[in-house]
Amino acid sequence: MVTKIKSADLAGIYAYPVDVEVDISGGLPSFNIVGLPDTSVRESRDRIRSAIKNSRFDFPKSRITVNLAPADLKKESSRIDIAIALGIVVEGKMASPVLNLDKSIFVGELSLDGTVRGVSGVLSTAVYCKENNFNLFVPEENLCEALSVEGVKVYPYSSLLNLIEIISEELPLLNENDCQETLNKEQDYEIYLEDIKGHLQPKRALIIAAAGGHNLLMYGPPGSGKTILARAIPSILPEMTNKEQIETTMIYSAGGRLKNKGLIKVRPFRSPHHTVSNVGLIGGGSKLMPGEVSYAHNGVLFLDEFPEFSRKALEVLRQPLEDGFVSITRATGSVKFPARFMLVAAMNPCPCGYYGSKEKECVCTPAKIMNYRSRISGPILDRIDLIVNVPQIPLEEMGKVSDGLTSEKAREMVQSAMDIQFKRNGCLNAYLNSRQLKEFCVLEGDAEGLLNMASKKYSFSSRTYTRILKIARTIADMEKSEKIKASHIAEALQYKLSDFLFESISYE
C-alpha cells in the first residue's frame, strides 16, 4: 500500500499542491526520490534519514521510493522535507495517525536532529489552504505568518517527533495569543512631509503623482532634498487594504524576505543601488525569484542617480510600467510576478550636479551634460508622467516656519481623489485605457486647444499626449471637477514640458 502525504511548493508567488507518495517494498535497501526533484530536494534524503533516526524511529532497511506529483513540475524547495519524512514513518507502520491526512498540508525543512526550520512561501500556502479547505501544519517559526490569513486551521510543530505526536492524537486547541502582538503591530513611516522644509512645488508634484498613481522624476543639485522627498511618499499614500497586504506579503514570503513574520501593512519603498543587475531589478535567476519591481508592488520603486543605472536595467522596466506585472520565462519554467508600483526617480542635472545652480558653478562641458542625460532613453522618459525641479534651499531659509502641509492632510487629499477615480474608472487614472480616456477625460473650453497646440509645438508621441491627459484628469479630480479645464491642462504641461528636457545647453 502507498502512503500519500500532501505538501506544497511555489510557482512564482503562488502555491500549488504536491502529492508525496511513499512506497516501501522488498529488495536491496535504497532511497530514491522521483518526480522532477531539484538538487535541494534530492539532497534531502540524507537529512530525512538522520532526522528519522534521531527522532527515535528505525529507518526502514528496504527499498523506499518517493514520488512527487505532479511529475511535470520541478520541485525546488526543502519545504517538502517534512512530508517525505512523515510518509516514510506512516508507511513503515511506525505511527498510526488519527488525523485524516488527505485534508492536511505539511511544510517544513528538517534538521539532522529531527527539529524543523522555518521555510519561505508559507503565506501563499495558507492562502491555498483557505481556498481549498485544508488544515495547515507549519514550523513554529512560521506560525504568525500562516495566521495572517483568516479562516485557516493552522497547527505549529517543533520537530518530526512533535508532529507525529500531534497527528496521532486529537488535534490540540491552537493558542494564537503569542502571535497577536505581531499580527496587530502597526508600522511607522520613516519620513513625513512636515519634516521637510520648503519645496512647495515638488510637494505638489508628489501629491498629484500619489493621487493618480503616476510616475515621477525629480532633478536638482546634490543635497537639495530629492531623496528625502521620495522617502516621504509612503506617508501620503492611503493605507493598504487587506487584499493588498496579503498580495504584497506573499511576494516577500516567496522571496524569503519576510522579516516580521506578519502582514506587511505599510506600502513598500524599495531603493536599489544603481549597480543592480537587470535580473535583480526585474526578477529571474536560476530559481525564478522576484526582483525589486515586484518587491515594490503596491508601493514605491525609487531609483536614485537614475542615469547611473545600466541601460539594460532601465529598459527592462518598460513592461511592468505598462502592464503592472512581470512575465519571466526560462528553460526551467515560466512565472508571472505582480509589479504594480509607482516609479520615482531622481537625478542631477549634469555629472557634477550644479548646472543651472545659483549656489555653485557647473564645471561640465555641454557634451558631457548631453551624454549624461542621453543615458535615459526616450521610451523610458515617455513613461514618466511628471518631471519636477528640486532646487537647493538657502540655509537661511531652512529655519523658517513650516508651510503647514502634513502627511495626514496630503493623505486625505490623495484618498479623496482616489475615491473619485475608483468610483468612476474602477482604477487609478494612470491605468486608464483608451476607451476610458475617451469617456472620462472630457475637455472643457480652451483645454483641448491648449493641449493640441502644445502637442504640435513639442511633437508629442501618442503616449505622451495620453499621459498629459491622465495627469490633468488627476488634477481635476483633486479639485473635484467633473471636466478637465484649461488650468488643469496647463499645470499638467508644466510638469511634462520641463526646461530640463527641452533647453539647449550652452554657456554665456
Side-chain angles (χ1 to χ4, degrees), residues 291-306:
E292 290 293 335
V293 296
S294 294
Y295 290 123
H297 182 62
N298 290 322
V300 177
L301 177 66
F302 178 52
L303 302 183
D304 202 2
E305 304 296 342
F306 199 38

Side-chain angles (χ1 to χ4, degrees), residues 129-186:
C129 289
K130 179 181 179 180
E131 293 172 348
N132 296 275
N133 196 28
F134 281 100
N135 298 325
L136 177 58
F137 286 77
V138 298
E140 290 180 346
E141 184 180 336
N142 295 119
L143 176 60
C144 297
E145 180 182 347
L147 288 176
S148 299
V149 181
E150 296 181 0
V152 182
K153 294 182 179 179
V154 182
Y155 299 96
Y157 63 96
S158 58
S159 64
L160 174 60
L161 183 59
N162 178 226
L163 177 61
I164 298 298
E165 292 172 349
I166 292 174
I167 66 171
S168 299
E169 302 173 2
E170 293 293 330
L171 288 176
L173 292 175
L174 183 62
N175 185 1
E176 301 180 10
N177 293 332
D178 294 338
C179 288
Q180 290 307 310
E181 184 178 350
T182 300
L183 296 176
N184 297 330
K185 184 179 179 181
E186 296 295 333

Side-chain angles (χ1 to χ4, degrees), residues 193 196 198-212 214 216 218 229 233 236 342 386-390 403 405-406 409-410 413-414 417 471-480 487-492 494-495:
L193 278 188
I196 306 172
H199 290 317
L200 294 181
Q201 187 65 21
K203 287 179 181 178
R204 169 73 174 175
L206 290 187
I207 295 172
I208 294 173
H214 302 291
L216 171 70
M218 296 182 287
L229 281 165
I233 294 177
I236 68 175
M342 176 182 169
L386 295 91
I387 301 172
V388 62
N389 180 27
V390 183
D403 52 29
L405 180 62
T406 65
K409 291 179 181 178
M413 297 167 61
V414 170
I471 299 168
R473 179 67 269 176
T474 299
I475 297 171
D477 289 336
M478 292 176 62
E479 297 182 2
K480 297 181 172 57
S487 59
H488 304 146
I489 292 291
E491 184 173 3
Q494 171 189 338
Y495 294 116

